[in-house]
Amino acid sequence: MVQLFTPYQLFCLALLAITAPFLSFILSLIFKKIAGALGILSIGISFISSLILFLGIWKKQTLHFAFHWIELGNVKIDVGILLNDLSVIMLLLISFIALLVHIYSVEYMRKDGLKYRYFAYLSLFCFAMLSVVIADNLFLLYAFWELVGFSSYLLIGFWFSKEKAVQANKKAFIMNRIGDVGFLIGLMVMLTQFHTLDLSALFGSENLISSSFVKNGIWVTPFNTLPSYWLTITGFCFFAGAMAKSAQFPLHTWLPDAMEGPTAVSSLIHAATMVAAGVFLLLRIAPLFNEVVLTTMVCIGLFTAFMAATIALTQKDIKKVLAFSTISQLGFMVVAVGVQDQAAAIFHLVTHAFFKCLLFLAAGIVIHELHHLKEKHQLDFDEQDLNNMGGLRKQLPITALVFLLAAMALSGLPFTSGYLSKDAILVSIFEWADLKGGVYWIFPLFISITSWLTTFYIFRVVFKVFFGEFRLPQLLSKSDLKIHEPSSWMRVPVVVLGVFCFGFFFAYNPFSLDSAWIYQGFIQQVHSEGFYHILVPLYINVLSLALIFLTYQAYANKKIIFNLEHTWFYQLSLNQWYFNDFYDVFLMKIVLFKASVFNWFDHNIIDGFIHFLTDLVIWLSKISDWLDKHAIDGLVNGAAALVKRIGIWLRGMQSGKLQHYFIWMLLLFLSFMLFKIIV
Amino acid sequence: MIPLQHFLFISAILFCLGLFAVITRKNAIQILMGIELMINASILNLVAFSRFDKVDNTGQMFALFIIVLAAAAVAVALVIIMNLYKRVKSIDPNQSDTLRG
């Protein structure tokens, strides 16, 4: 195929794709009136550039442009752009999702007084995230990684007058810092071992990672040697960074709280940007991980997926359910990275981005419309509580339809994108367990349970929100409560995303993983066409369909009523496994106790010493002050007083009377004479 | 021949009288007269000394000089007194104390 663009032009396009949102960030803060238009324009430019880049690079070439930046001894750090398959697919995904979210936000934030700031932050966020995926070395990646964290902090706390939002953004920031420390340590070890952080040098063809090896407990690289456990530590450090960003146990608690931000932001953070960054990092540096780290990754990923899915079962807040669903799905991706099926991880990342973004945006419509209702009728209810909804499919038909589509994709039903990507991960785990044997069969078991739980919780939301009776009029005993579909600013993005929930976009045959082009693009080893490929999707989906029927009976028809509210597992789930309480009670107590000890030490020992010193100085200065006043000044004043007295006395002679002068003269003369006579 | 001491006594008495007049009088003219007395006492001294020293009559020469100078001084002093009177309408030296410190 003929190349339409030269590599240099592609490089310029990549630069354009990241600078457009950055310019929009700056200009939005200056030209406040047109901030929304600027945001959409800039992300549109990014999207078009990304599309051209994708067409020029996908499966064809890898481009790497770098300039010298820092040179410390024999360590060189470049600044540059690395465009390979992974970069361009992420670029395309991020810019596309961000474009839709921008358009959606125009309506969602229409009444907000600080709209310009919202769009500025959104642009900054996109800039950071786009830069993360095309950064060519780990150092640059780390810098933009931090910027992603910071801009998410700004966005989560966008409604900064809400106390909960402020708490949530602080929590997100601190949790991310914990992971970032790991990332930074990992960077240092890499720098020691390989003397470079360049991604293509480390992980590209003829890479440094494959030329290093572990022998006799020593990790040998062309530059340096370290004990082999450092390889494991490095892997864990990078994984810790990814864990914080991708909200994996035990650093997951920030993500549900991050729901305090505007819903459109939650959608962007959860679908394509922030949480994807963690998985993206794992994919970028996947060859680094050794067996121990990979197995840990599978354990943590699976535990996170399972835990989050159980929590999502009972949450009352629609956004909380979706938040835990995100954590759960990210767990799936981490598991996929852990079993070294990176193709499945990327594939699921992409498909998940579409349907999770759609779920959030559709939930945003419901919340937005209920909020309008609340303002219009001066009512008081929680517009995010599932118990206040119900039967909304009559009033929001399009939203209900796309939400249902996304829910189907999330539970991995046939014909949807989720069917392809989720089942790819499931199949990988089955094969992995088959390879390992024995105890490892617990992993496929739990991932299957998690998968069914996913179906259950998302259809619980679907039926509670869109089916059955609208509960709000009964609860508030008002009959004329009507809501309607929002304007097309909000409708168009969700419909576009809804279309992308179908499997046809990702594979021409929506039942066969082999025709999934994203999956095939990253596949590393050829899968044996085992019976898992048929069996796993079959048994997962059959049970899923049964579960959907069950949830329909339970939440739409009210034929089955669960009476579990007082059981321990219901409470465990409702209270999010008590992780927040655990952190509050134990970790916070320890930190606060330490802080109080240090406070005491500071107050009593350090301050005491300082106070003692100040007292000493004050006493010394008092003494010197006394000396100054009485000795020095006394001397000076005494001399002055003496002179004054002499002056006064001498002045007395100048009486102005002629005869007095005469007498003085006489006396002087006489005394002179006397003096002459005596001496 | 009258001894030198007698002259010196007379001259000292004259000087003291003049001095007394200068110090005590409230009238500028009288002070001037006191000054004249003191000058004449010193002239008397000089003349007496020249009588006992006959080498080149230095004492008499000085006496003549002093007489002339005294005359001139009196003229000047009288003019000063007249000007003083014009300024302060009084010839009491105590009245004009503008030089008082």
Side-chain angles (χ1 to χ4, degrees):
Chain A
M1 190 180 152
V2 188
Q3 278 294 318
L4 285 173
F5 291 91
T6 63
Y8 181 72
Q9 283 168 330
L10 288 175
F11 165 67
C12 291
L13 274 173
L15 270 186
L16 182 67
I18 57 168
T19 42
F22 184 67
L23 282 178
S24 149
F25 162 62
I26 292 168
L27 292 177
S28 298
L29 293 176
I30 301 168
F31 305 108
K32 297 174 183 174
K33 288 260 167 64
I34 54 164
L38 275 173
I40 292 174
L41 182 70
S42 71
I43 201 71
I45 291 170
S46 286
F47 173 60
I48 292 162
S49 315
S50 305
L51 196 63
I52 297 167
L53 282 171
F54 178 76
L55 295 174
I57 284 174
W58 173 255
K59 303 294 269 174
K60 285 190 201 119
Q61 53 186 340
T62 298
L63 294 178
H64 183 203
F65 301 91
F67 307 98
H68 278 296
W69 185 22
I70 302 171
E71 202 164 333
L72 294 167
N74 50 5
V75 176
K76 288 192 188 71
I77 294 174
D78 290 349
V79 51
I81 289 177
L82 174 66
L83 296 168
N84 59 10
D85 291 353
L86 182 57
S87 303
V88 289
I89 195 103
M90 289 296 287
L91 266 185
L92 191 62
L93 175 73
I94 293 162
S95 54
F96 182 59
I97 298 275
L99 177 63
L100 293 177
V101 171
H102 270 78
I103 294 168
Y104 179 91
S105 301
V106 171
E107 177 68 32
Y108 195 78
M109 304 299 284
R110 189 178 290 281
K111 294 206 176 135
D112 201 288
L114 292 171
K115 203 165 64 171
Y116 75 93
R117 203 185 270 181
Y118 172 84
F119 279 103
Y121 293 166
L122 215 54
S123 294
L124 182 67
F125 195 32
C126 293
F127 161 67
M129 194 59 211
L130 291 170
S131 305
V132 162
V133 297
I134 62 169
D136 81 323
N137 66 57
L138 285 171
F139 190 72
L140 206 58
L141 203 158
Y142 179 70
F144 287 114
W145 177 274
E146 291 290 332
L147 192 58
V148 169
F150 173 66
S151 43
S152 71
Y153 167 82
L154 291 177
L155 281 172
I156 293 167
F158 178 71
W159 285 318
F160 53 82
S161 52
K162 264 164 71 183
E163 175 64 22
K164 276 173 94 178
V166 174
Q167 294 290 348
N169 72 356
K170 271 193 276 188
K171 192 169 179 179
F173 198 67
I174 291 166
M175 284 286 182
N176 273 299
R177 302 295 328 155
I178 296 169
D180 292 343
V181 172
F183 194 164
L184 193 59
I185 295 169
L187 281 187
M188 290 180 209
V189 179
M190 293 296 270
L191 209 52
T192 319
Q193 278 291 61
F194 297 103
H195 288 193
T196 179
L197 292 172
D198 191 81
L199 282 168
S200 54
L202 285 170
F203 305 106
S205 54
E206 298 169 29
N207 54 51
L208 287 166
I209 292 287
S210 61
S211 65
S212 64
F213 54 89
V214 176
K215 197 178 179 187
N216 299 332
I218 306 265
W219 180 23
V220 185
T221 71
F223 299 100
N224 201 5
T225 53
L226 279 176
S228 63
Y229 55 80
W230 278 102
L231 180 60
T232 312
I233 290 176
T234 315
F236 277 128
C237 284
F238 280 116
F239 183 44
M243 226 149 75
K245 273 275 179 301
S246 286
Q248 297 296 295
F249 168 82
L251 298 175
H252 64 278
T253 54
W254 67 268
L255 200 138
D257 288 19
M259 292 297 113
E260 293 300 332
T263 308
V265 168
S266 310
S267 152
L268 188 61
I269 288 179
H270 286 225
T273 54
M274 182 146 167
V275 295
V279 178
F280 172 79
L281 177 72
L282 293 181
L283 293 170
R284 269 279 201 231
I285 60 167
L288 181 70
F289 301 123
N290 63 12
E291 199 57 34
V292 182
V293 181
L294 288 173
T295 312
T296 316
M297 228 180 254
V298 177
C299 294
I300 287 189
L302 186 59
F303 179 73
T304 311
F306 179 72
M307 175 199 70
T310 56
I311 293 171
L313 290 177
T314 55
Q315 294 304 306
K316 291 192 172 71
D317 186 328
I318 183 167
K319 284 179 78 181
K320 281 271 161 69
V321 177
L322 298 179
F324 282 105
S325 162
T326 307
I327 297 177
S328 179
Q329 296 303 306
L330 287 164
F332 274 78
M333 293 173 212
V334 171
V335 167
V337 177
V339 299
Q340 290 192 290
D341 189 0
Q342 283 121 27
I346 298 166
F347 191 27
H348 195 52
L349 179 62
V350 174
T351 55
H352 171 256
F354 285 105
F355 59 69
K356 187 48 63 64
C357 185
L358 174 53
L359 284 173
F360 269 109
L361 294 187
I365 290 177
V366 173
I367 294 165
H368 191 66
E369 295 306 324
L370 285 179
H371 188 74
H372 269 293
L373 194 70
K374 187 163 117 176
E375 281 189 342
K376 198 171 141 197
H377 293 275
Q378 306 281 326
L379 298 170
D380 184 33
F381 63 89
D382 183 2
E383 66 263 30
Q384 301 191 7
D385 195 336
L386 285 172
N387 291 330
N388 291 336
M389 301 168 187
L392 294 180
R393 72 175 188 282
K394 289 162 202 148
Q395 296 171 29
L396 302 170
I398 298 171
T399 312
L401 184 68
V402 292
F403 198 93
L404 185 66
L405 265 176
M408 280 162 71
L410 179 61
S411 24
L413 295 183
F415 295 108
T416 61
S417 56
Y419 174 80
L420 290 163
S421 60
K422 201 164 145 190
D423 289 351
I425 293 176
L426 292 173
V427 169
S428 291
I429 293 166
F430 273 86
E431 282 174 349
W432 183 73
D434 198 22
L435 205 66
K436 299 254 180 185
V439 188
Y440 287 93
W441 278 103
I442 200 158
F443 291 104
L445 177 66
F446 267 91
I447 205 116
S448 311
I449 292 172
T450 310
S451 185
W452 292 319
L453 289 176
T454 310
T455 310
F456 186 84
Y457 70 68
I458 197 64
F459 275 95
R460 171 174 167 265
V461 173
V462 170
F463 292 133
K464 273 198 131 177
V465 175
F466 295 108
F467 289 81
E469 288 296 310
F470 192 23
R471 284 182 286 277
L472 203 55
Q474 293 169 9
L475 288 170
L476 300 166
S477 51
K478 274 190 131 176
S479 56
D480 58 337
L481 296 179
K482 283 271 178 279
I483 57 175
H484 52 86
E485 285 282 350
S487 73
S488 47
W489 284 101
M490 279 163 108
R491 242 179 316 161
V492 170
V494 293
V495 171
V496 172
L497 284 167
V499 170
F500 275 95
C501 286
F502 287 110
F504 304 106
F505 288 93
F506 303 97
Y508 55 79
N509 176 1
F511 287 105
S512 160
L513 204 53
D514 294 324
S515 61
W517 54 273
I518 295 176
Y519 187 73
Q520 293 304 320
F522 290 100
I523 202 140
Q524 276 160 342
Q525 73 264 29
V526 180
H527 278 257
S528 55
E529 272 291 326
F531 66 102
Y532 293 120
H533 278 264
I534 304 155
L535 199 64
V536 171
L538 194 68
Y539 101 104
I540 293 280
N541 277 311
V542 167
L543 252 166
S544 291
L545 285 171
L547 275 167
I548 292 168
F549 183 69
L550 178 73
T551 30
Y552 181 74
Q553 292 294 346
Y555 294 109
N557 280 355
K558 305 264 180 203
K559 291 256 171 65
I560 308 168
I561 290 162
F562 293 115
N563 218 348
L564 300 168
E565 298 216 354
H566 299 292
T567 56
W568 63 269
F569 45 87
Y570 184 89
Q571 289 299 325
L572 184 71
S573 162
L574 187 67
N575 291 306
Q576 308 176 3
W577 284 42
Y578 297 102
F579 274 114
N580 282 320
D581 304 272
F582 174 76
Y583 289 157
D584 283 351
V585 171
F586 286 93
L587 301 184
M588 291 295 285
K589 278 266 169 68
I590 292 167
V591 170
L592 287 177
F593 175 72
K594 268 195 215 160
S596 66
V597 168
F598 284 126
N599 184 28
W600 178 87
F601 185 78
D602 196 37
H603 261 276
N604 292 291
I605 310 290
I606 304 211
D607 282 11
F609 183 64
I610 305 244
H611 284 155
F612 170 72
L613 278 182
T614 51
D615 285 351
L616 201 69
V617 170
I618 286 171
W619 273 109
L620 279 175
S621 62
K622 269 185 183 158
I623 290 168
S624 106
D625 177 51
W626 185 87
L627 276 175
D628 196 39
K629 260 189 195 151
H630 292 89
I632 314 260
D633 284 11
L635 214 62
V636 173
N637 287 341
L642 188 70
V643 170
K644 189 178 172 190
R645 201 140 289 272
I646 293 171
I648 288 167
W649 180 64
L650 284 177
R651 203 175 64 172
M653 290 184 202
Q654 309 288 329
S655 61
K657 293 184 178 160
L658 196 63
Q659 284 151 328
H660 287 190
Y661 295 149
F662 201 85
I663 291 165
W664 281 119
M665 258 163 67
L666 196 69
L667 284 174
L668 195 68
F669 182 72
L670 279 178
S671 56
F672 178 69
M673 279 316 212
L674 263 158
F675 177 73
K676 283 305 275 186
I677 291 162
I678 293 163
V679 181
Chain B
M1 185 161 173
I2 305 164
L4 182 61
Q5 284 89 344
H6 292 196
F7 288 105
L8 294 184
F9 273 126
I10 298 290
S11 126
I13 289 161
L14 266 176
F15 188 86
C16 287
L17 284 171
L19 191 59
F20 181 76
V22 166
I23 289 169
T24 54
R25 291 301 94 188
K26 296 266 179 214
N27 191 325
I29 307 283
Q30 285 173 330
I31 290 169
L32 197 59
M33 285 161 71
I35 290 169
E36 284 302 312
L37 265 179
M38 282 153 74
I39 291 170
N40 284 329
S42 60
I43 291 171
L44 186 61
N45 260 6
L46 287 167
V47 170
F49 287 139
S50 97
R51 185 166 158 71
F52 294 92
D53 172 31
K54 294 189 175 154
V55 180
D56 44 8
N57 292 327
T58 323
Q60 291 178 7
M61 284 300 293
F62 263 102
L64 279 172
F65 263 116
I66 290 168
I67 289 163
V68 173
L69 279 176
V74 166
V76 172
L78 279 171
V79 172
I80 288 171
I81 290 164
M82 274 175 67
N83 277 325
L84 190 69
Y85 181 76
K86 266 190 195 167
R87 193 174 285 265
V88 290
K89 299 290 170 208
S90 158
I91 52 168
D92 184 355
N94 287 344
Q95 297 284 315
S96 55
D97 58 353
T98 48
L99 279 179
R100 193 162 72 101

